[in-house]
Amino acid sequence: MKIKTLLMGAIAATAFAPAAFAERGSDGNVSIIYWQAPSILNPFLSGGTKDVESASMIIEPLARYNQDGQLVPWLVTEIPTTGNGGVSSDLTSITWNITPGLKWSDGSDFTSADVKFTYDYCTHPEGGCAQVTKFEGVSSVETPDATTVVVNFAAPTPNPYGPFVGGESPIIQAAQFADCLGAKAPECTDANFGPIGTGPFVVTEFRPNDVITMEANPNYRDPAKPAFASVTFKGGGSAEDSGRAVMETGEFDYGWNLQLAPDVIAKMAEGGKGTPVAGFGPLVERLMLNQTNPSPDLAEGVRSTAAEPHPFLTDPAVYKAMSMALDRPLLVEVGYGTAGNVTCNWVPAPAAFNSDTFTCDTQDIAGANAMLDAAGIVDTDGDGVREKDGVPLKILYQTSTNAVRQDFQALIKAWWSEIGIETELRNINASVFFGGDPGSPDTFQKFYADVQMYANTFNGTDPQAYLGNGLCDKAPKPESQWQGENISRFCMPEYDALHAQLTTTAGIDERAKIGKELNDMLVSNGGMIPLVQRGRVSAHANTLGGVVLNVWDSELWNVADWHRIK
């Protein structure tokens, strides 16, 4: 009850605090710690949350979601709707009006040409853009004048708020990235590590997987913001290090993603230096099941691609038995307490999209064994490991280095051993695992393992683009620089067709119905095994004002409003 009371109080405390700005830069330095260290500041080349969120302090979208999941204008004068004429009556276009006078941090004008360039950059066929699902269905982007952007869709699009909305779809400067199109994108180190932006801060130094230093943007649109003159953004360590640095020692002002046992967070809060903040959104810890063969015996370019299906993880008896063997309530208790909920769904929030098709809150070892026996997947040589078509059920199960995740791995390995599956565990430094480096064999996108565990979420309250991550053509592969968010390489033509129907469907009830069907289709056909809907828990110093936890966008969405409480 102690941690529950603490977190409930923290959630209540996320209401806006009155800002007390004197002038830009008057509050000195603010220090932020992300135990998953950013490896790049271009979210189009990384699906990692730590990269998206650190970049959100520098580069921004046209609109984003506030703490209540409401769409709010950011670099535009208003949110286009059919009511104000910004969305065409036939739902085939949306017109954005850029706020006049906006400047890039280098002092040049922010114009519609930069917005169009961002579209061209992300949709380049050789670019491997990690956020390309945001532009699904877009036929063209027009720029009638310097402050007007028209996004055209190939068909009526009831939810036109994918492109240029939220922290995952910011605008990059055309002049800076002009020579970075297509296959050249990963080679533009200076731009990727130090993007020119419209956000409250600019990069002064970026040491990948270590530290970012920033200073206040001298051309930021509000002359009184940001209150802080500089930022020290430290990456690395552990979630425990982050929590202690904010709540016990006071060394840092903000610590992200405290993926810790609830009693550990409660103990840290007793230190009196900081306060945890929490909120539930669509963040799900899950097991991704590789639908392709990750064997190191295969040639590069074939390994973990659709050219070679997985020898047993595509069998329904196998992946369903793996799910049945799990004790999800125990995982919640061990890892998250009241900051976690059992879930069987890929999309557990918003509530309208939370499917009630499955139940998974009771472990069933006997049922899992019976299912495998009935499928003829048995232990033929007496070594305790089942075989399918002569292939032993031996898997490599990887995740990022984190105490809670290693606890989960140990439990899941033991449960799977009870159903005849042998599991090798591997954990990888989070900065590498989520880094997106196309040359690294250890990224979650490359998926050189059978099973991997992590959590991610989506911006906003409509999961259309997120569900697009299950489309066949969104699987990472060598030709896309190993970018793409269809991590499990799931592919069903029926899924693709149903998602296309979602993009043209109006009305929340019907959209939610299709969204649930897509969720059910991917989960029931082995794309992933959902485990826990995680509350997002971070912490801020008691002297840091203006923090408003946002589970629908970047946690750093309103960093321009942060200030020091005297």
Coordinates of all heavy atoms in Angstrom, one line a residue, residues 70 147 260 316 352 361-362 557:
Q70 N -4.6 14.9 -25.6 CA -5.3 15.9 -26.5 C -4.2 16.4 -27.5 O -3.1 16.8 -27.1 CB -5.9 17.0 -25.7 CG -7.0 16.5 -24.8 CD -7.4 17.6 -23.8 OE1 -6.7 18.5 -23.5 NE2 -8.7 17.5 -23.3
T147 N 4.4 29.3 -45.4 CA 3.8 28.9 -44.1 C 2.7 28.0 -44.2 O 1.9 27.7 -43.3 CB 3.4 30.2 -43.3 OG1 2.4 30.9 -44.1 CG2 4.6 31.1 -43.0
L260 N 12.0 -0.4 -11.8 CA 12.5 -1.0 -10.6 C 11.3 -1.6 -9.8 O 10.2 -1.2 -10.0 CB 13.1 0.1 -9.7 CG 14.3 0.8 -10.3 CD1 14.6 2.1 -9.5 CD2 15.6 -0.1 -10.3
P316 N 1.8 -22.7 -34.1 CA 0.9 -22.2 -33.1 C 1.0 -23.0 -31.8 O 0.9 -22.4 -30.7 CB -0.5 -22.4 -33.7 CG -0.3 -22.3 -35.2 CD 1.1 -23.0 -35.4
A352 N -10.7 2.2 -25.3 CA -11.6 1.8 -26.4 C -10.9 0.8 -27.3 O -11.6 0.0 -28.0 CB -11.9 3.0 -27.3
D361 N -4.3 -14.6 -17.4 CA -3.9 -14.3 -16.0 C -3.7 -15.5 -15.2 O -3.4 -15.4 -14.0 CB -4.8 -13.3 -15.4 CG -6.3 -13.8 -15.4 OD1 -6.5 -14.9 -15.9 OD2 -7.1 -13.1 -14.8
T362 N -3.7 -16.7 -15.8 CA -3.5 -18.0 -15.0 C -2.5 -18.8 -15.8 O -2.7 -19.1 -16.9 CB -4.9 -18.7 -14.9 OG1 -5.8 -17.9 -14.2 CG2 -4.6 -20.0 -14.1
W557 N 8.4 16.5 -23.3 CA 7.6 17.3 -24.2 C 7.5 18.8 -23.8 O 7.5 19.7 -24.7 CB 6.2 16.8 -24.3 CG 5.3 17.0 -23.1 CD1 5.6 16.5 -21.9 CD2 4.2 17.8 -23.0 NE1 4.6 16.9 -21.0 CE2 3.7 17.7 -21.6 CE3 3.4 18.6 -23.9 CZ2 2.6 18.4 -21.2 CZ3 2.3 19.2 -23.4 CH2 1.9 19.2 -22.1

